[in-house]
Amino acid sequence: LFNADMTEELGCLYLSPSKHPDHDVEVCFWLVKKASDAGMEPRFETFVRDWLAAAWPFKKPGFPGRQVSWDDWNQG
């Protein structure tokens, strides 16, 4: 994730095969402090959810550490 003129990295998104039986993809992301402090995190998460629904075949993406606790995710 970069700013509009592609000069500054703001974060990163990872899509990985899910190890949890209730989800078909593991979705993780991080944002730099500046982006997080600017309130980008909830907007970026909404963008990612919408993008996955529109552009990818995943039926049940999982967001460990957000929608599912890491403990629950790792026990799944």
Side-chain angles (χ1 to χ4, degrees), residues 44-59:
F44 185 63
E45 183 173 343
T46 297
F47 167 81
V48 169
R49 288 179 183 279
D50 292 346
W51 174 68
L52 288 174
W56 290 85
F58 304 121
K59 302 293 183 208

Side-chain angles (χ1 to χ4, degrees), residues 1-3 8-14 28-48 66:
L1 174 63
F2 288 87
N3 64 353
E8 186 177 4
E9 183 178 30
L10 301 176
C12 195
L13 170 69
Y14 303 92
C28 295
F29 68 87
W30 55 264
L31 299 177
V32 297
K33 183 173 180 0
K34 175 182 174 179
S36 186
D37 288 350
M40 287 183 62
E41 195 160 326
R43 295 188 332 238
F44 185 63
E45 183 173 343
T46 297
F47 167 81
V48 169
R66 296 176 185 280

Side-chain angles (χ1 to χ4, degrees), residues 15-32:
L15 302 178
S16 304
S18 177
K19 297 176 186 168
H20 193 284
D22 294 340
H23 301 279
D24 54 357
V25 64
E26 178 179 313
V27 184
C28 295
F29 68 87
W30 55 264
L31 299 177
V32 297

